[in-house]
Amino acid sequence: MNRPTGADDGGTRDGSRLPRRRQGQLESQVLTVLRSADGAATAGWVQEHLDGDLAYTTVITILSRLYEKKAVTRARQGRSYAWTPASDEAGLAALRMRRVLDGERDREAVLARFVSALSAGDEARLRALLSRAADDSDGVGGSHGRDGSHDPDDPDGRDGSHDPDGPVAPEG
């Protein structure tokens, strides 16, 4: 099938094809641009500061997907939104890791395989972080939900389900 090669379908105006982006690359680029802003930024501002010819609607779609993933926040600004990154690169990577883990039925097996694949240095870092987290806990032990209930299947409180900041309420 011969498809047009205009800028709206991944090609350029001279007929050449742009290389296909890997999954998440556009989201990463949008987040990088958002982080460079001096505050909240509109989709139009993001579009102007991105490399390449992305349609405004594409930028809106990417920002909306990032919002659904809680990677950005938004606030009404007139008839549109102003967007702000919700986290730094490390926080967003942790969010992606958490989503993968949440999608698996056998969390223990996934965590065991993850830990067994770590380098010695990363394993030591993880142990130090877990130790620090245990020292910083309230000393009660166990995982407690927002309603104060205890999860007997998670005696160490390590399943990560407790979010001290609470749920992020959608804006707008």
Side-chain angles (χ1 to χ4, degrees):
M1 176 173 155
N2 290 335
R3 293 179 50 189
T5 57
D8 61 340
D9 77 340
T12 61
R13 298 199 196 305
D14 68 0
S16 62
R17 300 288 296 171
L18 294 174
R20 185 153 178 89
R21 291 177 180 94
R22 62 184 163 76
Q23 185 176 5
Q25 188 175 9
L26 275 179
E27 290 180 356
S28 178
Q29 290 172 348
V30 167
L31 286 168
T32 298
V33 167
L34 272 179
R35 277 192 214 92
S36 73
D38 289 333
T42 64
W45 186 92
V46 171
Q47 179 191 24
E48 289 174 19
H49 289 83
L50 282 169
D51 293 332
D53 291 328
L54 281 183
Y56 179 81
T57 54
T58 302
V59 174
I60 289 290
T61 299
I62 295 164
L63 288 167
S64 297
R65 288 179 181 164
L66 289 168
Y67 178 73
E68 289 170 8
K69 296 176 180 181
K70 296 181 176 56
V72 298
T73 60
R74 67 184 185 192
R76 251 315 158 192
Q77 190 175 62
R79 291 175 31 194
S80 60
Y81 290 104
W83 306 83
T84 308
S87 186
D88 60 8
E89 288 286 337
L92 293 172
L95 180 64
R96 286 191 300 270
M97 292 167 64
R98 174 63 193 262
R99 275 201 201 98
V100 168
L101 185 59
D102 286 347
E104 298 297 323
R105 288 196 291 200
D106 190 349
R107 295 173 74 91
E108 185 173 342
V110 172
L111 287 169
R113 297 267 170 94
F114 176 76
V115 170
S116 68
L118 291 175
S119 68
D122 284 342
E123 184 178 343
R125 284 182 198 90
L126 182 57
R127 287 183 189 282
L129 289 167
L130 288 171
S131 177
R132 196 176 330 154
D135 292 344
D136 291 344
S137 71
D138 61 2
V140 174
S143 176
H144 295 270
R146 284 186 183 80
D147 63 356
S149 62
H150 178 73
D151 181 356
D153 293 331
D154 185 28
D156 296 325
R158 301 279 169 96
D159 80 342
S161 64
H162 179 70
D163 180 0
D165 297 326
V168 178
E171 298 177 29

